[in-house]
Amino acid sequence: MKVRYDPRGDILYIEISSGKVAETVELDDDLLVDYDEDGNIVGIEIWRAREVLLGEMFRKIKELGLDLKTAEVEG
């Protein structure tokens, strides 16, 4: 798996496999998925990546009732 980010376009591409893209499906305004001829996911493209990904992370944090100021990160 490879991840590429274009900061100018704010586009994140996650390459799942190196297969040839046969079809691209737009799942949402900012989410496109590339499939190979067998229907396997080749890659995922996220437009407005910062807003989309950070927005989703903040929604989940709020949903879980976590306070960002006091939350600890384990790694």
Side-chain angles (χ1 to χ4, degrees):
M1 180 167 55
K2 295 180 184 176
V3 177
R4 295 187 303 269
Y5 178 71
D6 172 10
R8 281 187 165 176
D10 192 22
I11 299 170
L12 179 72
Y13 189 78
I14 304 166
E15 183 181 299
I16 306 298
S17 73
S18 59
K20 184 178 177 186
V21 176
E23 179 182 19
T24 300
V25 176
E26 185 175 342
L27 297 182
D28 198 4
D29 289 337
D30 302 308
L31 181 63
L32 297 99
V33 178
D34 294 332
Y35 295 93
D36 66 13
E37 290 180 354
D38 296 323
N40 299 308
I41 296 176
V42 174
I44 301 168
E45 185 171 283
I46 303 169
W47 292 23
R48 296 181 317 117
R50 279 181 253 142
E51 182 180 337
V52 170
L53 295 176
L54 289 176
E56 184 61 28
M57 285 176 18
F58 285 127
R59 274 191 289 283
K60 285 292 183 188
I61 288 168
K62 189 175 181 179
E63 213 175 83
L64 293 171
L66 298 176
D67 181 357
L68 286 177
K69 293 178 185 175
T70 60
E72 291 185 26
V73 177
E74 295 181 18

